Every structure is written in structure tokens, then in C-alpha cells.
């Protein structure tokens, strides 16, 4: 299904967020595509794209119009939003896309921590997404692609920004051995190039390929050394998992996730070939942490 200008119409869930927003911008930069940005509140976000249409994954009746005439759909679900059932939302979206005649479905998944760790770590926002892969595969789209978002660099200036520590320093206290290189990271704005590349090259990336975005692979000490070489004075303290898990709502899940990173790495296995292939499909090398940090983590003047 193409528009009269022969563009592929792509409907993007999460268009107001990190991942979907990145996908919208990358598709807009490529004349092969026309974008339909989807949000629960289209009136608030008219500027997002030429077409802004309502879609609520918790209201299946909104999805036929959201996907109508679309060649492709990008789906991300937001585990962290209260009340979200990722399996239910994604199943609803997959079925609605299939019913609407969508040809290419791109799902933002994560590794199956339960399988990788033999059940040792319980990280529902990873494993829950991985369990949706089978549903995407089995419904029988002409093309389907799995993208894997990394640990966002943006977390370090957002949800995981450095905090004032008991000794007065600014830094992180985490249940993690800072010497272990285990975090596959990236600038989440660059996920868009991989997704746009997959929609542009379904012959290469549309048969269930896994495309991780990885700009760097680091230990926490390497992260802090990079930042401190740029003029910061961040500290790191390793704290017991049980102590961290009691600190704030959702901390237990984060503690499990960090334990999994340390034991198995973020992606859970050697992924060099997949990363290289994702970069090829994106047509670019992702930004490394040092370059990103210089532009995005301003040094506070004393
Ligand atoms: N932070 C990380 O390092 C990291 C790494 C890998 C994966 N992730 C995953 O990323 C996901 C979140 O993605 P993000 O960071 O791109 O999101 P985000 O910036 O937090 O924004 C959430 C998006 O989800 C949309 N949304 C939420 N509930 C919806 C619903 N019922 N129907 C339709 N749209 C809905 C929102 O759209 P509207 O409000 O406009 O409707 C918004 O665009 C989480 O599941 C998380 O596990 C995070």
C-alpha cells in the first residue's frame, strides 16, 4: 500500500516518546515514506507529522483507523506506564495491523532474560517484550523486523541522573560491579535510522532479523571515567541489591535488571554480527558515548 506519490505510509505508535519520536524523524528525513504519528492525544501533538491520528493500545476500537492504509507499523509499548499490560497491548496491535492489511511490522523488543539466565533473573520489562516476538512472527506479515533499543544514553541525564551522595559528591550508587563491561548503550534518537532502514530494505531486514542499536559497550567505571575526563567529578558506590531494591517504587525491578547486565550483559550474548548488520541497515555508525556526552552532559560551573 503506497500513497499517490508512491511513498510507503508508516504508522508509528509512541510517536510522542523517545523511540517512536526517533522513528518519526528518521522516516520524515526519507522521501520514500509518509508518516502517520499515533498518540492518545492527537489534538495536543498536531505538529508531530503531516498525519496525526489517535491510537490507544488499551482501546482496540481506535486501532483500525490508526492502521488503515498503512504499509508498515512501528510498535513500542511502555512498560513503565501504570496499568500497562505489554502482552495484551502488543497482541491487540499485531492483530489490528494484520486485519488492516499491514505488510511490514517492526516491533521494539528486548532480550529474553528468563531464557538467557535460566530463570535466575526476573526482569519483566525485558522478558515480557521478548515473549511478544513469537506473536509478531506467527501472525504472518509479509515482513517483520525486531529492533532492540539499548540502555539509552539519555537515562544518565534523565531517569538515572546522578544524585547527591552521602559524602556530598554527585554520582551513582548502584548494585553493580563497576569494573564489569556489560552495558550495551546508545543514543535512542538513532533507533530511527535502523527502523527506517528496515522499512526501506524489507528484503534484507524483514524476515525476522534482530537489529540492536549499540553506540558503545561499557562498564560503569568506563562511563564515569569518560564523563570525568570531560570535566565532571562523578562518583560511584556499589551498594547491596537488597538495599537498592528498597529505595523507590520500581527499584527491585531495576536491581534485577542490573544483576542480569552484570551476569550476562545487556544483550545477553555476543552480538557483534547483529550490531554490524543493524548499522548497515541504518546506513550509519551510531554515536559513541564520549561524543554524545560532550554535547549532552554539560559540565556545571562551580
Ligand atoms: N530507558 C531505557 O534505557 C530503555 C531501554 C530499552 C527499552 N526501553 C523501553 O522503552 C519503552 C518506552 O519507550 P520510550 O522510552 O520510547 O517511551 P516514552 O518516551 O516514555 O513515551 C511513552 C510513549 O508510549 C506511548 N503510549 C503509552 N501508553 C500508550 C497507549 N495505551 N496507547 C498508545 N500509546 C501509548 C505514549 O504516547 P501518548 O502519551 O502520546 O499517547 C508515548 O509516546 C519501555 O517499555 C521500556 O521498557 C527503555
Amino acid at each position: 500500500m503506497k500513497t499517490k506519490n508512491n511513498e510507503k505510509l508508516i504508522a508509528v505508535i509512541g510517536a510522542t516518546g523517545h523511540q517512536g519520536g526517533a522513528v518519526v524523524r528518521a522516516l520524515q528525513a526519507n522521501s520514500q515514506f509518509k508518516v502517520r504519528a499515533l498518540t492518545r492525544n492527537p489534538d495536543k501533538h498536531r505538529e508531530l507529522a503531516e498525519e496525526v491520528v489517535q491510537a490507544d493500545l488499551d482501546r482496540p476500537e481506535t486501532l483500525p483507523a490508526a492502521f488503515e492504509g498503512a504499509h508498515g507499523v512501528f510498535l513500542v509499548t511502555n512498560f513503565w506506564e501504570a496499568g500497562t499490560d505489554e502482552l495484551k497491548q502488543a497482541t491487540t496491535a499485531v492483530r489490528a495491523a494484520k486485519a488492516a492489511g499491514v505488510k511490514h511490522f517492526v516491533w521494539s523488543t528486548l532480550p529474553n532474560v528468563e531464557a538467557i539466565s535460566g530463570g535466575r533473573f526476573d526482569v519483566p520489562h525485558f522478558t515480557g517484550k521478548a515473549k511478544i516476538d513469537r506473536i509478531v512472527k506467527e501472525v504472518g506479515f509479509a515482513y517483520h523486523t525486531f529492533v532492540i533499543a539499548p540502555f539509552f544514553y539519555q537515562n544518565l541525564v534523565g531517569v538515572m541522573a546522578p544524585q547527591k551522595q552521602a559524602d556530598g559528591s554527585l554520582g551513582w550508587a548502584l548494585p553493580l560491579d563497576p569494573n564489569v563491561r556489560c552495558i550495551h548503550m546508545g543514543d535512542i534518537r538513532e533507533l530511527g535510522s535502523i527502523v527506517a532502514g528496515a522499512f526501506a530494505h524489507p528484503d534484507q531486514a524483514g524476515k525476522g532479523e534482530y537489529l540492536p542499536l549499540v553506540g558503545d559497550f561499557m562498564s560503569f567505571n568506563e562511563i564515569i571515567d569518560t564523563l570525568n575526563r570531560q570535566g565532571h567529578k562523578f562518583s560511584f558506590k556499589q551498594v547491596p541489591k537488597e538495599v537498592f531494591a528498597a529505595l523507590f517504587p520500581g527499584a527491585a525491578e531495576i536491581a534485577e535488571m542490573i544483576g542480569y547486565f552484570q551476569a550476562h550483559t545487556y544483550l545477553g550474548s555476543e552480538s557483534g554480527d547483529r550490531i554490524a548488520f543493524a548499522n548497515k541497515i541504518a546506513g550509519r555508525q551510531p554515536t559513541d558515548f564520549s561524543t554524545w556526552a560532550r554535547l549532552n552532559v554539560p559540565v556545571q560551573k562551580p
Side-chain angles (χ1 to χ4, degrees), residues 12-22 38-42 44-45 48 54-59 62-63 74-86 89 107-111 124-126 129 148-156 159-160 184-186 188 191 253 257 261 266:
V12 180
I13 295 273
T16 58
H18 287 100
Q19 298 195 40
L38 302 175
T39 166
R40 287 167 296 181
N41 303 296
K44 278 201 212 158
H45 303 287
L48 274 179
Q54 189 182 47
D56 183 342
L57 296 168
D58 292 327
R59 292 174 52 222
T62 63
L63 299 181
F74 171 78
L75 176 68
V76 58
T77 51
N78 185 10
F79 175 88
W80 300 106
E81 176 149 336
T84 293
D85 178 337
E86 294 189 287
Q89 288 189 345
W107 159 235
S108 180
T109 190
L110 283 173
H125 71 286
F126 273 58
K129 288 190 183 68
I148 303 181
F151 178 91
F152 306 176
Y153 294 153
Q154 284 81 355
N155 292 342
L156 298 171
V159 288
M160 271 183 74
H184 293 96
M185 316 168 70
I188 194 58
L191 188 74
E253 163 104 15
M257 177 187 80
F261 290 176
Y266 181 103

Side-chain angles (χ1 to χ4, degrees), residues 182-287:
C182 61
I183 311 175
H184 293 96
M185 316 168 70
D187 178 349
I188 194 58
R189 293 173 302 183
E190 296 176 344
L191 188 74
S193 316
I194 295 179
V195 174
F199 281 127
H201 302 289
D203 45 330
Q204 293 176 52
K207 291 291 174 200
E209 281 77 3
Y210 281 80
L211 307 179
L213 166 68
V214 178
D216 232 322
F217 180 52
M218 301 176 92
S219 69
F220 226 91
N221 274 346
E222 288 171 329
I223 293 171
I224 289 177
D225 289 349
T226 302
L227 292 167
N228 289 354
R229 272 198 304 273
Q230 295 179 7
H232 298 278
K233 292 198 169 68
F234 293 132
S235 62
F236 185 88
K237 186 170 189 290
Q238 185 170 357
V239 294
K241 185 177 172 184
E242 303 69 41
V243 173
F244 182 87
L247 286 180
F248 56 91
E253 163 104 15
I254 302 290
E256 280 282 297
M257 177 187 80
I258 290 172
Y260 158 73
F261 290 176
Q262 184 173 313
H264 298 280
T265 80
Y266 181 103
L267 287 177
S269 58
E270 207 296 302
S271 301
D273 290 351
R274 283 181 170 178
I275 295 167
F277 184 64
N279 295 342
K280 180 175 164 236
I281 291 297
R284 58 177 289 179
Q285 288 297 314
T287 303

